[in-house]
Amino acid sequence: GAVVSQHPSRVICKSGTSVKIECRSLDFQATTMFWYRQFPKQSLMLMATSNEGSKATYEQGVEKDKFLINHASLTLSTLTVTSAHPEDSSFYICSASDRASNQPQHFGDGTRLSIL
Amino acid sequence: LAKTTQPISMDSYEGQEVNITCSHNNIATNDYITWYQQFPSQGPRFIIQGYKTKVTNEVASLFIPADRKSSTLSLPRVSLSDTAVYYCLVGLPNTGFQKLVFGTGTRLLVSP
């Protein structure tokens, strides 16, 4: 079945650091990927829609200059948290779907970001 | 996107059947109902999707009444490993390019 891989699974870094998270579709092409953020004991919150070859669409309240999204190929989208601060500490999850197969979205296993 | 309402939490014991109900009063004609399961520190995993009546797969059943304003996810004979958060979502099927809006989910705790 469709597999979505995220890397890294966990990141711990100092405040002010920029962190890049990768989301890959391993066995299918994904023209659209989605990025979510999840705080402890809370639900997933959609941050942005990543479109291959074009600019991402951000949800209201999500700073596009803070969370840079690049979707340069049909199998890879990246989320860069720029100048991260402790309040950016969260669980970041991506999802994608193989539109050609009409399957529901599949999610990566998330990236736990901890900013010290 | 139709809003969904689920119980915040449920408790059960191993071997019991668990039924989690989701309300979606504003479901649109073309909307499907999809359930995801999420374990701690993992991404959600697709469980089942349906439009009306009953859908069954190897892990769960989904019951949808005629008015489609609610749905029930049924987990037969749960085990400890079924402890997770279960999310009910409503929207178009084949959601490859549609953003998903997650509600609060239902936190299921299965005890020995």
Side-chain angles (χ1 to χ4, degrees):
Chain A
V3 177
V4 175
S5 175
Q6 266 186 257
H7 179 79
S9 59
R10 186 177 180 94
V11 179
I12 302 173
C13 58
K14 295 181 179 179
S15 184
T17 306
S18 292
V19 179
K20 179 184 287 187
I21 302 170
E22 295 185 348
C23 179
R24 295 182 184 273
S25 55
L26 297 185
D27 53 358
F28 64 97
Q29 294 183 333
T31 55
T32 303
M33 292 183 174
F34 300 89
W35 287 96
Y36 296 82
R37 180 168 54 181
Q38 185 175 34
F39 292 107
K41 303 293 186 183
Q42 294 187 22
S43 185
L44 284 77
M45 184 184 74
L46 180 67
M47 299 175 66
T49 302
S50 173
N51 303 300
E52 186 269 336
S54 65
K55 292 182 179 180
T57 305
Y58 291 82
E59 295 300 300
Q60 188 173 9
V62 179
E63 300 175 57
K64 62 179 181 181
D65 295 328
K66 173 75 172 177
F67 300 99
L68 300 178
I69 292 173
N70 183 277
H71 194 155
S73 77
L74 287 171
T75 59
L76 173 65
S77 174
T78 61
L79 168 68
T80 301
V81 183
T82 61
S83 187
H85 292 284
E87 59 266 28
D88 297 321
S89 297
S90 187
F91 191 52
Y92 292 87
I93 310 170
C94 72
S95 72
S97 179
D98 180 4
R99 296 176 66 170
S101 68
N102 286 333
Q103 293 295 311
Q105 288 183 31
H106 293 271
F107 289 78
D109 274 339
T111 297
R112 176 76 57 192
L113 176 62
S114 300
I115 307 299
L116 304 178
Chain B
L1 296 172
K3 181 180 178 180
T4 60
T5 303
Q6 305 173 233
I8 296 297
S9 64
M10 294 183 68
D11 295 319
S12 184
Y13 293 96
E14 283 188 290
Q16 290 190 334
E17 178 185 78
V18 172
N19 297 307
I20 305 175
T21 298
C22 178
S23 296
H24 28 79
N25 292 318
N26 297 323
I27 189 170
T29 302
N30 295 330
D31 285 343
Y32 278 60
I33 300 142
T34 307
W35 286 79
Y36 282 86
Q37 173 193 55
Q38 185 182 28
F39 296 113
S41 296
Q42 292 187 27
R45 186 177 69 176
F46 171 83
I47 302 176
I48 197 166
Q49 183 180 76
Y51 182 81
K52 62 179 180 180
T53 61
K54 177 182 176 182
V55 179
T56 297
N57 61 23
E58 62 275 10
V59 296
S61 293
L62 179 59
F63 298 92
I64 306 167
D67 65 5
R68 305 199 327 120
K69 293 184 182 299
S70 67
S71 59
T72 299
L73 174 72
S74 181
L75 305 172
R77 296 183 298 280
V78 295
S79 64
L80 297 178
S81 62
D82 292 317
T83 293
V85 179
Y86 293 82
Y87 293 98
C88 162
L89 288 85
V90 174
L92 295 175
N94 311 322
T95 55
F97 49 90
Q98 180 192 24
K99 60 183 183 181
L100 299 179
V101 177
F102 284 79
T104 58
T106 298
R107 191 172 298 272
L108 173 66
L109 175 62
V110 180
S111 301

